[in-house]
Amino acid sequence: MRRRNLILFVVFLLVAIGIVVGVLVGFLPKTSQLPDLEIWIVHATEETEWLSAAARRFNQEGHRIGGQRIVVHLEAMDSGDALLNIRDEKFLHPPTAWSPSSMLWVNLLNAEWYPRHGTDLIMRVGQYQATPLVLTPMVLVMWQDRAEVFLNHFGEEPDWDTIQEALAAPEGWKTLGGQADWGYVKFGQTDPVLSNSGLVAITLATYEYFDKIRGLTVAELMDSLYRAWMQSLWRGIVGGYDRASANLMRDMILYGASKYDVIMVYENLVATQMKNAPGRWGTSLRVFYPRLNLWNDHPFCILMADWSSADQKDAALEFQKFLLREDIQKEALRYGFRPANVDVPVVNDDPENPFNLYQEQGLQVQIPRINLVEPPSAEVIRELQALFRQAQP
């Protein structure tokens, strides 16, 4: 009996050894190997180049949660479209996180989400709170020859009041002291219903009209004089409303002053496109910072939705931490963004850093003259967008 037990023991031992050897040499599957932990991140279109390079590096580095390798997938989408898709849960790949252009869209999405679910989708405090990734303010960009005429006529840098007055000039540039063949002043901005930069533009114009930096109310937007002022501003906008700031910037450089004399876009777009402008139309671009501004802080928002597991949310948090790493933040400078990590300076020894290259054209490292406005409530944002829709023919 003992001999039989010994034989069985030896047989089982040999089988076990065979299994181990098989795994080691690859003949049998490694049952302990876990599948990849995949997450999808929806992000603003202007983040595409920086985020794509960062995600490739993150995936190559092999970051892990609980033994699973994290794999990040990206999907670029206009902030307005992304809000609607997330709110209505219409997506091919459920996003674990969203990075819109600014906190304006966080306010809007939470306001849309709460009545349906009884909770916010994006946290404002705690481990998963919305966290800025990179910063960029809004700027007014004008062709240098137009800027010289504008400054000579108004005696100050362009802002919403002077832009509005210039758009209403009866003989256009001739009234301002420019050449008659320049025609009327041509101003461009993006669609404030779909595009963040357009939404920020009408927000800043509204704050400028009421001469305040916080506490904007729906009641103020009902003022008839304000509505008439805004509508006259919108009537001066040419070429329709593009959905993307990148297209607006591209068209200004591609078609010159025949398309736009001045536009409002993100600083980072101008910083990266400035190199394409000199000499193309016999003049260069000039950058101005409006007195009132708002940081487009590209918040990384981990969505508190049940379509993502706890591990996926933690994986998104790991990617967020990676994006705030000093070396990744330094790379953001190459795309014209200001780092959200305070340990990374805007100016460095990188010869490709646009903040080193274009200070003479108005790109500023420090912007002392601006006042930062408070992102308005969702109710105010909705009313601004409704006012815009009503003003369209």
Side-chain angles (χ1 to χ4, degrees):
M1 192 70 178
R2 289 181 180 177
R3 183 172 179 175
R4 181 183 176 189
N5 288 343
L6 180 61
I7 292 172
L8 289 173
F9 172 77
V10 171
V11 170
F12 283 125
L13 182 62
L14 290 174
V15 170
I17 292 172
I19 291 173
V20 171
V21 171
V23 169
L24 290 176
V25 300
F27 291 123
L28 295 176
K30 298 179 182 180
T31 56
S32 61
Q33 183 174 341
L34 298 173
D36 289 339
L37 182 58
E38 297 185 276
I39 59 172
W40 285 83
I41 313 293
V42 176
H43 63 89
T45 54
E46 60 270 19
E47 299 173 22
T48 298
E49 290 185 291
W50 173 60
L51 273 186
S52 296
R56 282 194 299 271
R57 183 168 172 182
F58 180 87
N59 290 338
Q60 289 168 359
E61 289 185 4
H63 295 254
R64 292 179 178 273
I65 290 286
Q68 287 185 278
R69 174 175 167 269
I70 305 169
V71 176
V72 172
H73 303 284
L74 302 175
E75 183 174 4
M77 192 176 297
D78 293 328
S79 295
D81 287 336
L83 182 147
L84 295 176
N85 287 344
I86 294 172
R87 183 199 68 186
D88 298 334
E89 302 182 40
K90 293 181 178 179
F91 30 66
L92 180 61
H93 303 285
T96 303
W98 177 36
S99 180
S101 300
S102 77
M103 287 296 293
L104 294 177
W105 300 93
V106 174
N107 292 352
L108 274 177
L109 180 55
N110 274 342
E112 297 277 348
W113 188 265
Y114 192 91
R116 302 182 181 197
H117 302 274
T119 184
D120 286 339
L121 184 60
I122 299 171
M123 305 294 289
R124 298 303 188 95
V125 295
Q127 182 182 21
Y128 298 117
Q129 65 180 305
T131 301
L133 293 179
V134 287
L135 308 172
T136 192
M138 302 302 296
V139 294
L140 290 161
V141 189
M142 190 179 293
W143 291 105
Q144 180 63 39
D145 54 354
R146 267 63 169 176
E148 291 172 359
V149 171
F150 197 100
L151 292 169
N152 185 62
H153 179 82
F154 289 105
E156 60 181 271
E157 293 187 358
D159 216 324
W160 290 107
D161 283 328
T162 51
I163 289 290
Q164 197 269 357
E165 188 175 337
L167 292 175
E171 294 185 272
W173 282 108
K174 182 179 179 182
T175 302
L176 305 183
Q179 299 179 27
D181 61 2
W182 288 356
Y184 291 100
V185 178
K186 298 175 287 295
F187 176 67
Q189 69 166 66
T190 57
D191 187 324
V193 176
L194 299 171
S195 167
N196 177 74
S197 69
L199 181 57
V200 174
I202 66 173
T203 298
L204 296 179
T206 302
Y207 270 121
E208 179 71 30
Y209 179 87
F210 290 109
D211 193 23
K212 59 193 301 187
I213 62 172
R214 63 176 58 88
L216 205 59
T217 67
V218 172
E220 288 174 314
L221 305 188
M222 299 297 109
D223 181 80
S224 59
L225 293 178
Y226 158 75
R227 287 178 169 246
W229 183 84
M230 285 296 289
Q231 288 170 357
S232 67
L233 180 65
W234 287 330
R235 280 196 296 271
I237 294 176
V238 299
Y241 293 87
D242 212 308
R243 294 170 64 113
S245 293
N247 295 341
L248 198 66
M249 189 76 240
R250 178 204 62 201
D251 287 351
M252 185 172 193
I253 294 175
L254 186 61
Y255 300 109
S258 65
K259 181 77 172 181
Y260 298 116
D261 296 308
V262 56
I263 61 174
M264 172 161 270
V265 290
Y266 302 121
E267 178 193 59
N268 74 287
L269 283 177
V270 186
T272 54
Q273 294 299 315
M274 192 82 78
K275 62 181 179 293
N276 297 323
R280 186 178 181 91
W281 302 104
T283 186
S284 60
L285 292 174
R286 178 72 183 275
V287 179
F288 299 98
Y289 293 81
R291 182 180 68 89
L292 301 183
N293 219 313
L294 183 147
W295 283 119
N296 300 286
D297 54 1
H298 298 268
F300 191 86
C301 308
I302 298 174
L303 304 177
M304 296 293 103
D306 57 10
W307 59 67
S308 294
S309 69
D311 283 345
Q312 286 176 310
K313 292 180 177 69
D314 285 342
L317 188 62
E318 187 70 17
F319 184 52
Q320 174 192 297
K321 293 175 181 176
F322 171 84
L323 293 174
L324 291 171
R325 212 169 71 183
E326 287 191 25
D327 56 335
I328 306 302
Q329 289 279 292
K330 287 178 182 177
E331 284 299 309
L333 280 166
R334 288 175 170 259
Y335 301 100
F337 291 113
R338 297 169 183 261
N341 184 336
V342 296
D343 293 327
V344 181
V346 173
V347 173
N348 53 29
D349 57 2
D350 182 357
E352 299 302 317
N353 183 343
F355 293 98
N356 294 333
L357 295 174
Y358 302 117
Q359 293 186 31
E360 290 186 3
Q361 283 76 42
L363 208 61
Q364 298 182 29
V365 177
Q366 295 182 328
I367 320 169
R369 69 182 290 268
I370 70 171
N371 294 294
L372 295 176
V373 305
E374 175 187 65
S377 67
E379 292 74 21
V380 169
I381 296 172
R382 286 197 195 107
E383 188 59 38
L384 282 171
Q385 292 177 324
L387 177 59
F388 171 80
R389 291 190 189 98
Q390 294 166 13
Q392 303 314 298

